Amino acid sequence: PYIIVVSASACRDRHWATKAMVAAVDAALDSVAARRGSPVDAVSLVGVSDGALGALVYSLEGKRRVKDRLLASSFGKLLGEARTLAGMDASRMRLGRWRFLQGGNDRLFPVGEARPWIEEFCSAVQADCMLRFDPAGEHDWSYWREKHLDWIREAIQTKK
C-alpha cells in the first residue's frame, strides 16, 4: 500500500498539545495532498511522550479523520480527566483504533498515574482501545522498538 509519512518534532517551547501544532500538521498534510494531486482524508498518528499528547489533541481538533493511533510513553492526564477527554467530540474520538504503549520504568510519567488514566480512557472512549504495558518499559522510543516491535507493527498495520 501507498503510505506517506509526515514526521514532525517538537522541542523546547514548541509543544504538541496546541492549536499551532494542529495547524502545522494540517498544513504539512495539505502540502502532501497538493503535491500528489489527491486529497489526504484520513491519517494514522504515532506520538511519543509530548507527541502522544499531540495525537490526542489532533484527534479532537485536526481536520482529517484519524484511523489509528499509537501513543507511547504518554501522560494524558496533562490534558485532563480521562473520561472527560474520551467524551469530548465523541464522534471523532470513537473513530479508529487507540493503542497505548506504557512502561513501569518511565522516568517522566509515574506508572501509578499513567496506567490508570489510560485504562479509564480506554473504558470511556467506546472505541477499539488497548494498553500494552511492560513493567520494565522506559520513556524511550528505542526501548519499544527493540523490545516490542511486534506491538508497534500491530498498532500501525495497514488495512486492505
Side-chain angles (χ1 to χ4, degrees):
Y2 187 63
I3 297 173
I4 296 169
V5 175
V6 175
S7 176
S9 296
C11 62
R12 296 190 184 115
D13 63 337
R14 303 209 184 259
H15 299 285
W16 280 116
T18 66
K19 291 192 182 300
M21 175 283 302
V22 172
V25 170
D26 276 330
L29 292 169
D30 290 343
S31 175
V32 167
R35 284 180 178 251
R36 73 178 218 189
S38 64
V40 176
D41 297 323
V43 297
S44 295
L45 304 173
V46 176
V48 180
S49 189
D50 189 48
L53 299 179
L56 281 159
V57 172
Y58 190 91
S59 294
L60 284 166
E61 299 177 7
K63 70 181 188 180
R64 288 164 173 89
R65 182 176 59 85
V66 180
K67 298 185 297 185
D68 295 297
R69 304 153 187 91
L70 173 60
L71 291 78
S73 302
S74 63
F75 199 58
K77 186 175 181 178
L78 292 173
L79 298 176
E81 294 301 318
R83 289 199 178 282
T84 302
L85 191 62
M88 295 173 108
D89 201 344
S91 64
R92 293 179 59 101
M93 298 298 272
R94 290 181 183 154
L95 289 174
R97 300 179 320 147
W98 294 86
R99 296 294 183 263
F100 290 85
L101 303 179
Q102 199 70 30
N105 284 334
D106 190 311
R107 69 186 184 282
L108 296 180
F109 304 140
V111 67
E113 293 181 55
R115 186 175 183 177
W117 189 96
I118 295 167
E119 290 170 341
E120 185 176 350
F121 179 86
C122 281
S123 173
V125 76
Q126 298 178 7
D128 182 358
C129 188
M130 178 190 302
L131 165 62
R132 297 278 197 161
F133 180 77
D134 177 347
E138 301 171 3
H139 192 93
D140 182 350
W141 180 245
S142 63
Y143 176 88
W144 297 103
R145 234 182 33 244
E146 292 169 16
K147 304 288 186 186
H148 297 294
L149 188 57
D150 56 329
W151 291 358
I152 295 168
R153 285 186 173 145
E154 183 279 330
I156 59 174
Q157 69 184 351
T158 56
K159 296 169 188 67
K160 295 180 180 179

